[in-house]
């Protein structure tokens, strides 16, 4: 009896060890499940990282009102693209000089301009800027429809804007006083028109009207008897008359071949290399989506459609 009784503690010890081992096995299974949860957590972290990498921020583009319709439309579309929900693009006018000054002073991310920076800023300021050419714009002299003038020479235009000709009858039109609708000195459209249509800068004549935007110029030329101004092709329609220049129509084809000389590149300048958000918008501006659609639809010309090119001094050469 005594010997048999001594076996009970041994059996109890063995049973306890079996339970411990089983418990260890169960712990091992929990650990494997835990590894699965870790993978899931890792996947969640990957999603968070992707969200963190999504671009966010704002872009302020200021300047040329000739370029403004294109940038406005592109900005609206850009902000609706999946992945760009956290980006805001704001577009303002003010003229090329304003755009260039503000981007040079780092008050804007992009300075929209109809002219090269060197034409408006001093050499040191211009050297800080990076040029992004997004389109070409043609410009034409425009008159009120009642003027009934459809063609003017370079000399006639120069005489009108310099005040040497003051009545339409002097250039083959009706007996009606000429009313000049001009742009301010900061305007790139004005600089382009004076340089390539008139051949030189013209004074601000007494009695002429200055408007800050191309939209206002269009409105006044349309509504003012005897009015003349100048606009980008993107603003032309049958509410006013686009005047031929030396017998040549302001058309895309004539600009691309260099036959019509009154045109300019549309520049979007940045102060140094742009940040990721601004670069993303600039990339969108030169994408096929914009170049093959809005650029053409709004009356601009894709840069790659030009058969000639022009440098900052105005020299034209074949591509």
């Amino acid at each position: 009896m005594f010997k048999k009784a001594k076996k009970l503690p041994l059996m109890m010890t063995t049973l306890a060890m079996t339970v411990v081992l089983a418990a260890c096995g169960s712990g091992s299974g929990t650990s494997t499940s835990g590894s699965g949860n870790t993978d899931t957590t890792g996947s969640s972290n990957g999603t968070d990282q992707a969200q963190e990498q999504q671009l966010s921020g704002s872009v302020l583009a200021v300047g040329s009102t000739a370029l403004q319709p294109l940038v406005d439309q592109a900005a609206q579309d850009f902000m609706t693209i999946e992945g760009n929900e956290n980006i805001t693009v704001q577009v303002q006018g003010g003229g090329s000089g304003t755009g260039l000054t503000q981007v040079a002073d780092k008050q804007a991310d992009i300075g929209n301009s109809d002219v090269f920076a060197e034409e408006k800023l001093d050499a040191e300021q211009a050297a800080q800027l990076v040029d992004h050419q997004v389109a070409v714009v043609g410009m034409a002299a425009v008159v009120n429809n009642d003027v009934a003038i459809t063609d003017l020479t370079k000399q006639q235009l120069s005489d009108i804007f310099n005040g040497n000709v003051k009545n339409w009858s002097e250039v083959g039109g009706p007996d009606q006083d000429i009313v000049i609708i001009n742009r301010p000195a900061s305007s790139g459209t004005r600089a382009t028109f004076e340089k390539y249509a008139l051949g030189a800068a013209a004074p601000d004549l007494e009695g002429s009207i200055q408007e800050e935007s191309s939209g206002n110029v269009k409105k006044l030329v349309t509504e003012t008897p005897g009015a003349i101004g100048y606009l980008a092709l993107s603003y032309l329609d049958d509410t006013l008359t686009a005047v031929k220049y030396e017998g040549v129509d302001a058309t895309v084809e004539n600009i691309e071949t260099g036959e019509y000389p009154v045109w300019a590149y549309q520049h979007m300048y940045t102060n140094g290399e742009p940040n990721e958000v601004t670069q993303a918008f600039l990339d969108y501006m030169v994408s096929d989506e914009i170049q093959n659609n809005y650029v053409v639809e709004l009356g601009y010309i894709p840069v790659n459609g030009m058969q000639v090119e022009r440098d900052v001094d105005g020299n034209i050469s074949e591509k």
Side-chain angles (χ1 to χ4, degrees):
M1 284 292 294
F2 183 77
K3 289 184 179 179
K4 288 182 180 179
K6 291 188 66 175
K7 290 183 180 179
L8 183 57
L10 179 61
M11 291 175 63
M12 292 297 294
T13 302
T14 303
L15 179 60
M17 291 180 63
T18 302
V19 171
V20 171
L21 289 173
C24 290
S26 174
S28 176
T30 302
S31 177
T32 302
S33 175
S35 297
N37 289 337
T38 301
D39 289 342
T40 302
T41 303
S43 176
S44 175
N45 287 339
T47 302
D48 291 342
Q49 289 172 1
Q51 290 174 345
E52 289 174 3
Q53 290 172 0
Q54 182 178 0
L55 292 178
S56 64
S58 61
V59 179
L60 174 61
V62 179
S64 166
T65 58
L67 180 55
Q68 190 172 359
L70 176 61
V71 182
D72 263 331
Q73 188 61 67
Q76 295 303 314
D77 284 8
F78 178 77
M79 290 186 290
T80 65
I81 295 173
E82 184 177 358
N84 292 347
E85 297 91 342
N86 296 325
I87 298 176
T88 302
V89 181
Q90 185 178 3
V91 184
Q92 298 176 0
S96 298
T98 299
L100 289 169
T101 299
Q102 289 200 14
V103 75
D105 292 341
K106 298 185 178 180
Q107 296 175 0
D109 302 294
I110 297 173
N112 295 331
S113 177
D114 307 325
V115 298
F116 288 94
E118 294 89 334
E119 298 179 71
K120 288 286 184 182
L121 303 177
D122 62 43
E124 184 178 350
Q125 285 181 309
Q128 297 173 0
L129 304 186
V130 177
D131 188 4
H132 309 269
Q133 295 177 1
V134 299
V136 166
V137 62
M139 299 172 190
V142 292
V143 297
N144 181 277
N145 283 338
D146 292 339
V147 171
I149 287 286
T150 59
D151 193 354
L152 290 169
T153 65
K154 178 178 180 179
Q155 187 60 55
Q156 287 172 328
L157 281 170
S158 178
D159 286 341
I160 289 170
F161 280 89
N162 280 283
N164 300 323
V165 169
K166 299 181 180 180
N167 191 290
W168 285 113
S169 62
E170 299 177 64
V171 290
D175 183 10
Q176 188 176 46
D177 288 340
I178 295 173
V179 180
I180 295 174
I181 314 296
N182 215 337
R183 295 292 305 282
S186 64
S187 167
T189 302
R190 175 172 175 168
T192 297
F193 185 77
E194 289 180 341
K195 187 172 184 177
Y196 300 120
L198 308 183
D204 292 321
L205 299 175
E206 184 178 352
S208 65
I209 301 171
Q210 279 197 13
E211 284 296 333
E212 290 290 338
S213 73
S214 295
N216 286 342
V217 169
K218 178 182 178 179
K219 185 176 186 294
L220 279 176
V221 171
T222 300
E223 298 175 351
T224 307
I228 183 172
Y230 42 88
L231 290 168
L233 269 58
S234 52
Y235 285 89
L236 304 185
D237 57 31
D238 59 8
T239 64
L240 38 69
T241 300
V243 179
K244 294 180 181 179
Y245 182 80
E246 298 281 1
V248 181
D249 281 312
T251 65
V252 170
E253 293 75 17
N254 289 337
I255 292 169
E256 286 179 335
T257 61
E259 185 177 356
Y260 184 85
V262 191
W263 60 269
Y265 292 110
Q266 295 294 266
H267 311 263
M268 296 179 74
Y269 279 98
T270 56
N271 196 317
E273 294 300 331
N275 61 33
E276 283 185 303
V277 174
T278 302
Q279 184 64 62
F281 181 56
L282 291 170
D283 289 343
Y284 186 63
M285 288 296 305
V286 294
S287 68
D288 290 343
E289 178 69 22
I290 297 301
Q291 293 293 308
N292 297 338
N293 293 289
Y294 289 134
V295 168
V296 177
E297 291 169 11
L298 293 175
Y300 303 89
I301 303 168
V303 174
N304 59 15
M306 294 295 292
Q307 299 174 34
V308 296
E309 57 188 2
R310 174 180 277 159
D311 64 21
V312 65
D313 296 319
N315 300 313
I316 295 283
S317 59
E318 297 288 332
K319 272 193 171 182

